[in-house]
Short mmCIF file of all heavy atoms in Angstrom, two decimals:
data_model
loop_
_atom_site.label_atom_id
_atom_site.label_comp_id
_atom_site.label_asym_id
_atom_site.label_seq_id
_atom_site.Cartn_x
_atom_site.Cartn_y
_atom_site.Cartn_z
N GLY A 237 -74.62 218.23 123.77
CA GLY A 237 -75.32 217.26 122.95
C GLY A 237 -76.24 216.34 123.71
O GLY A 237 -77.03 215.62 123.09
N ARG A 238 -76.15 216.34 125.02
CA ARG A 238 -76.99 215.46 125.84
C ARG A 238 -77.92 216.25 126.78
O ARG A 238 -79.04 215.82 127.02
CB ARG A 238 -76.14 214.51 126.68
CG ARG A 238 -75.25 213.58 125.86
CD ARG A 238 -74.63 212.51 126.75
NE ARG A 238 -73.77 213.10 127.78
CZ ARG A 238 -73.89 212.86 129.09
NH1 ARG A 238 -74.83 212.05 129.54
NH2 ARG A 238 -73.06 213.42 129.95
N PHE A 239 -77.42 217.36 127.30
CA PHE A 239 -78.18 218.15 128.26
C PHE A 239 -78.62 219.45 127.63
O PHE A 239 -77.93 220.01 126.77
CB PHE A 239 -77.32 218.48 129.49
CG PHE A 239 -76.92 217.31 130.33
CD1 PHE A 239 -77.27 216.01 130.00
CD2 PHE A 239 -76.18 217.51 131.49
CE1 PHE A 239 -76.88 214.92 130.79
CE2 PHE A 239 -75.80 216.45 132.28
CZ PHE A 239 -76.14 215.16 131.94
N THR A 240 -79.77 219.94 128.08
CA THR A 240 -80.29 221.22 127.61
C THR A 240 -80.77 222.02 128.81
O THR A 240 -81.59 221.55 129.59
CB THR A 240 -81.45 221.03 126.63
OG1 THR A 240 -81.02 220.24 125.50
CG2 THR A 240 -81.93 222.39 126.13
N ILE A 241 -80.25 223.22 128.94
CA ILE A 241 -80.68 224.12 129.99
C ILE A 241 -81.66 225.13 129.43
O ILE A 241 -81.53 225.57 128.28
CB ILE A 241 -79.47 224.81 130.66
CG1 ILE A 241 -79.89 225.55 131.93
CG2 ILE A 241 -78.78 225.77 129.69
CD1 ILE A 241 -78.72 226.07 132.76
N SER A 242 -82.65 225.49 130.20
CA SER A 242 -83.62 226.49 129.78
C SER A 242 -84.15 227.19 131.02
O SER A 242 -84.00 226.71 132.14
CB SER A 242 -84.76 225.86 128.98
OG SER A 242 -85.47 224.91 129.76
N ARG A 243 -84.78 228.33 130.81
CA ARG A 243 -85.37 229.05 131.93
C ARG A 243 -86.71 229.63 131.53
O ARG A 243 -86.93 230.01 130.38
CB ARG A 243 -84.43 230.13 132.46
CG ARG A 243 -84.16 231.30 131.53
CD ARG A 243 -83.03 232.19 132.07
NE ARG A 243 -83.36 232.82 133.33
CZ ARG A 243 -82.48 233.39 134.16
NH1 ARG A 243 -81.19 233.39 133.84
NH2 ARG A 243 -82.89 233.96 135.28
N ASP A 244 -87.59 229.70 132.49
CA ASP A 244 -88.90 230.30 132.34
C ASP A 244 -88.97 231.40 133.39
O ASP A 244 -89.27 231.13 134.56
CB ASP A 244 -90.00 229.28 132.51
CG ASP A 244 -91.38 229.83 132.22
OD1 ASP A 244 -91.56 231.07 132.26
OD2 ASP A 244 -92.30 229.04 131.94
N ASN A 245 -88.70 232.61 132.99
CA ASN A 245 -88.66 233.70 133.95
C ASN A 245 -90.01 233.99 134.58
O ASN A 245 -90.09 234.44 135.72
CB ASN A 245 -88.09 234.97 133.30
CG ASN A 245 -86.61 234.89 133.05
OD1 ASN A 245 -85.89 234.15 133.71
ND2 ASN A 245 -86.12 235.66 132.09
N ALA A 246 -91.08 233.74 133.84
CA ALA A 246 -92.42 233.94 134.38
C ALA A 246 -92.70 233.01 135.55
O ALA A 246 -93.51 233.34 136.42
CB ALA A 246 -93.46 233.77 133.30
N LYS A 247 -92.07 231.86 135.55
CA LYS A 247 -92.24 230.88 136.61
C LYS A 247 -91.09 230.85 137.59
O LYS A 247 -91.09 230.04 138.52
CB LYS A 247 -92.43 229.48 136.02
CG LYS A 247 -93.68 229.33 135.17
CD LYS A 247 -93.80 227.91 134.64
CE LYS A 247 -95.07 227.74 133.82
NZ LYS A 247 -95.19 226.35 133.29
N ASN A 248 -90.12 231.71 137.40
CA ASN A 248 -88.91 231.71 138.24
C ASN A 248 -88.30 230.32 138.35
O ASN A 248 -87.92 229.86 139.43
CB ASN A 248 -89.23 232.25 139.63
CG ASN A 248 -89.39 233.76 139.66
OD1 ASN A 248 -89.40 234.42 138.64
ND2 ASN A 248 -89.48 234.31 140.86
N THR A 249 -88.19 229.66 137.21
CA THR A 249 -87.74 228.29 137.19
C THR A 249 -86.73 228.06 136.08
O THR A 249 -86.88 228.59 134.98
CB THR A 249 -88.93 227.32 137.02
OG1 THR A 249 -89.86 227.52 138.09
CG2 THR A 249 -88.46 225.88 137.04
N VAL A 250 -85.71 227.28 136.38
CA VAL A 250 -84.73 226.83 135.42
C VAL A 250 -84.78 225.32 135.34
O VAL A 250 -84.98 224.64 136.36
CB VAL A 250 -83.32 227.32 135.80
CG1 VAL A 250 -82.26 226.67 134.93
CG2 VAL A 250 -83.23 228.84 135.68
N TYR A 251 -84.58 224.80 134.14
CA TYR A 251 -84.65 223.37 133.91
C TYR A 251 -83.34 222.86 133.35
O TYR A 251 -82.59 223.57 132.69
CB TYR A 251 -85.77 223.04 132.91
CG TYR A 251 -87.11 223.58 133.31
CD1 TYR A 251 -87.57 224.79 132.80
CD2 TYR A 251 -87.93 222.88 134.18
CE1 TYR A 251 -88.80 225.29 133.16
CE2 TYR A 251 -89.17 223.38 134.55
CZ TYR A 251 -89.60 224.58 134.03
OH TYR A 251 -90.83 225.08 134.40
N LEU A 252 -83.09 221.61 133.61
CA LEU A 252 -81.99 220.90 132.97
C LEU A 252 -82.53 219.58 132.46
O LEU A 252 -82.79 218.67 133.24
CB LEU A 252 -80.83 220.68 133.93
CG LEU A 252 -79.58 220.04 133.30
CD1 LEU A 252 -78.92 221.00 132.33
CD2 LEU A 252 -78.59 219.60 134.37
N GLN A 253 -82.72 219.50 131.17
CA GLN A 253 -83.12 218.26 130.53
C GLN A 253 -81.88 217.42 130.27
O GLN A 253 -80.97 217.87 129.58
CB GLN A 253 -83.85 218.54 129.22
CG GLN A 253 -84.29 217.30 128.46
CD GLN A 253 -85.36 216.51 129.18
OE1 GLN A 253 -86.32 217.08 129.67
NE2 GLN A 253 -85.18 215.19 129.26
N MET A 254 -81.85 216.23 130.81
CA MET A 254 -80.71 215.36 130.70
C MET A 254 -81.11 214.10 129.96
O MET A 254 -81.97 213.35 130.42
CB MET A 254 -80.15 215.00 132.09
CG MET A 254 -79.82 216.22 132.94
SD MET A 254 -78.94 215.79 134.46
CE MET A 254 -80.20 214.84 135.29
N ASN A 255 -80.49 213.89 128.82
CA ASN A 255 -80.75 212.72 128.01
C ASN A 255 -79.49 211.88 127.89
O ASN A 255 -78.39 212.34 128.16
CB ASN A 255 -81.22 213.14 126.60
CG ASN A 255 -82.50 213.93 126.62
OD1 ASN A 255 -83.38 213.69 127.43
ND2 ASN A 255 -82.61 214.88 125.70
N SER A 256 -79.67 210.65 127.44
CA SER A 256 -78.54 209.74 127.24
C SER A 256 -77.64 209.68 128.47
O SER A 256 -76.42 209.77 128.37
CB SER A 256 -77.75 210.15 126.00
OG SER A 256 -78.56 210.15 124.84
N LEU A 257 -78.25 209.51 129.60
CA LEU A 257 -77.51 209.56 130.85
C LEU A 257 -76.54 208.39 130.97
O LEU A 257 -76.81 207.27 130.53
CB LEU A 257 -78.46 209.57 132.03
CG LEU A 257 -79.14 210.92 132.26
CD1 LEU A 257 -80.37 210.76 133.15
CD2 LEU A 257 -78.16 211.90 132.89
N LYS A 258 -75.42 208.69 131.58
CA LYS A 258 -74.34 207.73 131.79
C LYS A 258 -74.09 207.55 133.27
O LYS A 258 -74.40 208.44 134.07
CB LYS A 258 -73.06 208.23 131.12
CG LYS A 258 -73.19 208.57 129.64
CD LYS A 258 -71.91 209.20 129.13
CE LYS A 258 -72.03 209.58 127.67
NZ LYS A 258 -70.81 210.23 127.17
N PRO A 259 -73.51 206.42 133.67
CA PRO A 259 -73.18 206.26 135.08
C PRO A 259 -72.32 207.39 135.63
O PRO A 259 -72.46 207.75 136.80
CB PRO A 259 -72.43 204.92 135.11
CG PRO A 259 -73.05 204.16 133.98
CD PRO A 259 -73.31 205.18 132.90
N ASP A 260 -71.45 207.96 134.81
CA ASP A 260 -70.60 209.06 135.26
C ASP A 260 -71.38 210.34 135.55
O ASP A 260 -70.83 211.28 136.12
CB ASP A 260 -69.51 209.37 134.23
CG ASP A 260 -68.40 208.35 134.23
OD1 ASP A 260 -68.34 207.52 135.15
OD2 ASP A 260 -67.57 208.37 133.30
N ASP A 261 -72.64 210.38 135.16
CA ASP A 261 -73.49 211.52 135.48
C ASP A 261 -74.03 211.45 136.91
O ASP A 261 -74.66 212.40 137.37
CB ASP A 261 -74.67 211.63 134.52
CG ASP A 261 -74.22 211.93 133.09
OD1 ASP A 261 -73.31 212.76 132.91
OD2 ASP A 261 -74.80 211.32 132.16
N THR A 262 -73.83 210.33 137.57
CA THR A 262 -74.31 210.17 138.93
C THR A 262 -73.68 211.20 139.85
O THR A 262 -72.46 211.30 139.94
CB THR A 262 -74.01 208.76 139.44
OG1 THR A 262 -74.74 207.80 138.65
CG2 THR A 262 -74.43 208.61 140.90
N ALA A 263 -74.51 211.97 140.52
CA ALA A 263 -74.02 213.04 141.38
C ALA A 263 -75.21 213.71 142.04
O ALA A 263 -76.36 213.48 141.66
CB ALA A 263 -73.23 214.08 140.58
N VAL A 264 -74.92 214.53 143.03
CA VAL A 264 -75.90 215.48 143.52
C VAL A 264 -75.83 216.71 142.64
O VAL A 264 -74.74 217.27 142.43
CB VAL A 264 -75.64 215.85 144.98
CG1 VAL A 264 -76.63 216.91 145.46
CG2 VAL A 264 -75.75 214.62 145.88
N TYR A 265 -76.96 217.10 142.12
CA TYR A 265 -77.04 218.25 141.22
C TYR A 265 -77.59 219.45 141.97
O TYR A 265 -78.61 219.37 142.64
CB TYR A 265 -77.93 217.93 140.02
CG TYR A 265 -77.24 217.06 139.00
CD1 TYR A 265 -76.98 215.73 139.27
CD2 TYR A 265 -76.83 217.58 137.77
CE1 TYR A 265 -76.32 214.93 138.35
CE2 TYR A 265 -76.20 216.79 136.84
CZ TYR A 265 -75.93 215.47 137.13
OH TYR A 265 -75.29 214.68 136.20
N TYR A 266 -76.89 220.56 141.83
CA TYR A 266 -77.25 221.80 142.50
C TYR A 266 -77.53 222.89 141.47
O TYR A 266 -76.86 222.97 140.44
CB TYR A 266 -76.10 222.31 143.38
CG TYR A 266 -75.64 221.35 144.44
CD1 TYR A 266 -74.66 220.41 144.17
CD2 TYR A 266 -76.16 221.42 145.73
CE1 TYR A 266 -74.22 219.53 145.15
CE2 TYR A 266 -75.72 220.56 146.72
CZ TYR A 266 -74.76 219.62 146.42
OH TYR A 266 -74.32 218.77 147.40
N CYS A 267 -78.51 223.72 141.75
CA CYS A 267 -78.63 224.94 140.99
C CYS A 267 -78.15 226.12 141.84
O CYS A 267 -78.18 226.07 143.08
CB CYS A 267 -80.04 225.18 140.49
SG CYS A 267 -81.32 225.45 141.74
N ALA A 268 -77.67 227.14 141.17
CA ALA A 268 -77.13 228.28 141.86
C ALA A 268 -77.32 229.53 141.00
O ALA A 268 -77.39 229.45 139.78
CB ALA A 268 -75.64 228.09 142.15
N ALA A 269 -77.39 230.67 141.65
CA ALA A 269 -77.61 231.95 140.99
C ALA A 269 -76.41 232.86 141.21
O ALA A 269 -75.87 232.94 142.32
CB ALA A 269 -78.87 232.63 141.53
N GLY A 270 -76.01 233.54 140.14
CA GLY A 270 -74.88 234.45 140.21
C GLY A 270 -75.10 235.67 139.33
O GLY A 270 -76.01 235.72 138.51
N GLN A 271 -74.25 236.64 139.52
CA GLN A 271 -74.34 237.87 138.74
C GLN A 271 -74.13 237.59 137.25
O GLN A 271 -73.23 236.84 136.89
CB GLN A 271 -73.29 238.88 139.22
CG GLN A 271 -73.52 239.41 140.62
CD GLN A 271 -74.70 240.35 140.71
OE1 GLN A 271 -75.00 241.08 139.76
NE2 GLN A 271 -75.36 240.35 141.85
N PRO A 272 -74.96 238.19 136.41
CA PRO A 272 -74.78 237.94 134.98
C PRO A 272 -73.48 238.51 134.46
O PRO A 272 -72.95 239.49 134.98
CB PRO A 272 -75.98 238.65 134.37
CG PRO A 272 -76.34 239.72 135.35
CD PRO A 272 -76.04 239.12 136.71
N TYR A 273 -72.94 237.85 133.46
CA TYR A 273 -71.73 238.27 132.75
C TYR A 273 -70.46 238.09 133.56
O TYR A 273 -69.37 238.44 133.07
CB TYR A 273 -71.87 239.69 132.22
CG TYR A 273 -73.12 239.86 131.42
CD1 TYR A 273 -74.15 240.67 131.87
CD2 TYR A 273 -73.31 239.16 130.23
CE1 TYR A 273 -75.33 240.80 131.14
CE2 TYR A 273 -74.47 239.28 129.51
CZ TYR A 273 -75.48 240.09 129.97
OH TYR A 273 -76.65 240.21 129.24
N LEU A 274 -70.56 237.57 134.75
CA LEU A 274 -69.41 237.07 135.46
C LEU A 274 -69.19 235.61 135.10
O LEU A 274 -70.06 234.97 134.53
CB LEU A 274 -69.59 237.23 136.97
CG LEU A 274 -69.79 238.65 137.51
CD1 LEU A 274 -69.97 238.61 139.01
CD2 LEU A 274 -68.65 239.54 137.12
N SER A 275 -68.04 235.11 135.44
CA SER A 275 -67.77 233.70 135.21
C SER A 275 -68.76 232.85 136.00
O SER A 275 -68.90 233.02 137.21
CB SER A 275 -66.34 233.36 135.62
OG SER A 275 -66.08 231.98 135.45
N CYS A 276 -69.44 231.97 135.31
CA CYS A 276 -70.44 231.12 135.94
C CYS A 276 -69.74 229.90 136.53
O CYS A 276 -69.78 228.80 135.97
CB CYS A 276 -71.51 230.73 134.92
SG CYS A 276 -72.97 229.99 135.63
N SER A 277 -69.11 230.12 137.65
CA SER A 277 -68.34 229.08 138.30
C SER A 277 -68.80 228.92 139.74
O SER A 277 -69.48 229.78 140.31
CB SER A 277 -66.85 229.38 138.26
OG SER A 277 -66.49 230.32 139.26
N LYS A 278 -68.42 227.80 140.31
CA LYS A 278 -68.80 227.52 141.70
C LYS A 278 -68.23 228.51 142.69
O LYS A 278 -68.67 228.56 143.83
CB LYS A 278 -68.38 226.10 142.09
CG LYS A 278 -66.88 225.88 142.08
CD LYS A 278 -66.54 224.43 142.38
CE LYS A 278 -65.04 224.20 142.37
NZ LYS A 278 -64.70 222.77 142.63
N PHE A 279 -67.23 229.28 142.28
CA PHE A 279 -66.56 230.20 143.17
C PHE A 279 -67.22 231.55 143.30
O PHE A 279 -66.90 232.31 144.22
CB PHE A 279 -65.10 230.39 142.74
CG PHE A 279 -64.30 229.13 142.74
CD1 PHE A 279 -63.86 228.58 141.55
CD2 PHE A 279 -63.99 228.49 143.92
CE1 PHE A 279 -63.12 227.41 141.54
CE2 PHE A 279 -63.26 227.32 143.93
CZ PHE A 279 -62.81 226.78 142.73
N ASN A 280 -68.13 231.88 142.40
CA ASN A 280 -68.72 233.22 142.45
C ASN A 280 -70.23 233.22 142.39
O ASN A 280 -70.83 234.28 142.14
CB ASN A 280 -68.13 234.13 141.38
CG ASN A 280 -68.36 233.63 139.96
OD1 ASN A 280 -69.23 232.80 139.71
ND2 ASN A 280 -67.57 234.15 139.03
N MET A 281 -70.87 232.11 142.63
CA MET A 281 -72.32 232.08 142.69
C MET A 281 -72.78 232.61 144.05
O MET A 281 -72.14 232.37 145.08
CB MET A 281 -72.86 230.68 142.45
CG MET A 281 -72.36 230.03 141.16
SD MET A 281 -72.65 231.02 139.67
CE MET A 281 -74.40 230.76 139.40
#
């Protein structure tokens, strides 16, 4: 309800639109690539 992920394959770019940000959102944000249809977790990217 606050964040929206999208991708533009023609530009090889993924976006994360973040709205209604809260102090708890403070962090270093990383993007990562993994095999499709596997669990999208930090352990298998």
Side-chain angles (χ1 to χ4, degrees):
R238 300 190 298 126
F239 294 2
T240 302
I241 191 170
S242 61
R243 67 190 296 164
D244 186 340
N245 287 336
K247 296 181 179 180
N248 284 9
T249 301
V250 171
Y251 305 96
L252 185 68
Q253 178 67 46
M254 305 189 295
N255 299 325
S256 302
L257 285 162
K258 305 173 182 179
D260 285 349
D261 295 318
T262 296
V264 176
Y265 283 71
Y266 302 88
C267 65
Q271 293 288 328
Y273 309 112
L274 299 179
S275 177
C276 193
S277 79
K278 64 184 179 182
F279 300 112
N280 60 19
M281 307 305 284

